[in-house]
Amino acid sequence: MNNQNHTQISSSNKSIPRLKLLDFSLRISVIPLSIASLCLTINTNEDNPDYGSIKFLNFSGLKYMVAVAAIAAGYALIAAISTWISCLVNKAWVFFISDQVMAYLMVTSGTAGAEIMYLAYKGDIEVSWSEACSAYGKFCTNLKIAVILHFLALFCFLFLAVISAFRAFSMFDPPFINTQLDEVERT
């Protein structure tokens, strides 16, 4: 039994560097995805002689998506660097909380961008908002790519949230159930 525990401990020690490498790779992957989404959204401006110009600044959802993409890229860079710095004693809880917050921000901003993209493609007949992609094709294409890139960065953060949760909660032993105490409480 002792040999089995030793095997489990040595195999878990080998998985930690792999987990750290996966964590670092996902954080580094977020940076170009977020920056590309940000740049595409900012450059999503188009003029139409019949209908006028359309800019990302006209939509608060796209401004929110740009702001969150910038925050995500900055956070991912700082977090990627800090994963290799051992001066902070316990970063597991910091990463756990901040990865959760970033994942939630990415979800809300991505859905805001996806909603605008949906309305641009489909419109909303009930409020007399017609689709815009037939008149603004470049705008819709750039927005679609930007939202896809944003959601790819979101999936990286979802995996990071799982990894950071594993790290944070693996520091604790599983709860101990005392069957004798349970029997005394029942009587």
Side-chain angles (χ1 to χ4, degrees):
M1 183 119 176
N2 191 13
N3 190 21
Q4 183 182 13
N5 287 341
H6 178 69
T7 305
Q8 289 175 346
I9 291 170
S10 65
S11 67
S12 68
N13 287 342
K14 289 179 184 176
S15 68
I16 291 173
R18 288 183 189 151
L19 188 62
K20 188 174 184 178
L21 183 62
L22 177 63
D23 182 273
F24 179 75
S25 300
L26 287 170
R27 291 183 193 285
I28 291 296
S29 298
V30 166
I31 298 167
L33 290 169
S34 294
I35 291 174
S37 174
L38 179 138
C39 290
L40 272 172
T41 306
I42 288 174
N43 293 323
T44 302
N45 304 317
E46 188 173 358
D47 291 323
N48 185 312
D50 296 328
Y51 300 108
S53 67
I54 189 168
K55 300 174 185 177
F56 92 96
L57 291 172
N58 297 348
F59 302 97
S60 59
L62 293 182
K63 289 189 270 186
Y64 177 57
M65 191 171 90
V66 165
V68 170
I71 292 168
Y75 167 72
L77 178 65
I78 291 168
I81 292 169
S82 69
T83 56
W84 296 100
I85 298 173
S86 60
C87 67
L88 295 175
V89 175
N90 189 358
K91 296 181 283 189
W93 286 103
V94 172
F95 282 135
F96 172 67
I97 292 169
S98 57
D99 287 345
Q100 297 290 323
V101 169
M102 281 310 305
Y104 292 134
L105 286 173
M106 294 292 286
V107 166
T108 58
S109 62
T111 54
E115 177 186 21
I116 292 168
M117 184 180 71
Y118 176 82
L119 290 172
Y121 275 98
K122 303 286 185 182
D124 190 357
I125 296 172
E126 290 180 17
V127 294
S128 301
W129 191 350
S130 63
E131 62 87 23
C133 288
S134 59
Y136 299 101
K138 179 185 167 198
F139 177 85
C140 291
T141 302
N142 285 352
L143 184 59
K144 183 191 303 185
I145 294 169
V147 169
I148 289 170
L149 291 171
H150 195 80
F151 274 102
L152 289 174
L154 164 65
F155 290 131
C156 290
F157 272 117
L158 292 176
F159 284 121
L160 286 166
V162 170
I163 291 170
S164 62
F166 171 76
R167 282 189 174 155
F169 292 107
S170 66
M171 295 186 304
F172 301 103
D173 292 330
F176 177 73
I177 299 174
N178 189 347
T179 56
Q180 292 175 352
L181 183 61
D182 289 341
E183 289 176 14
V184 170
E185 289 177 353
R186 286 185 206 150
T187 58

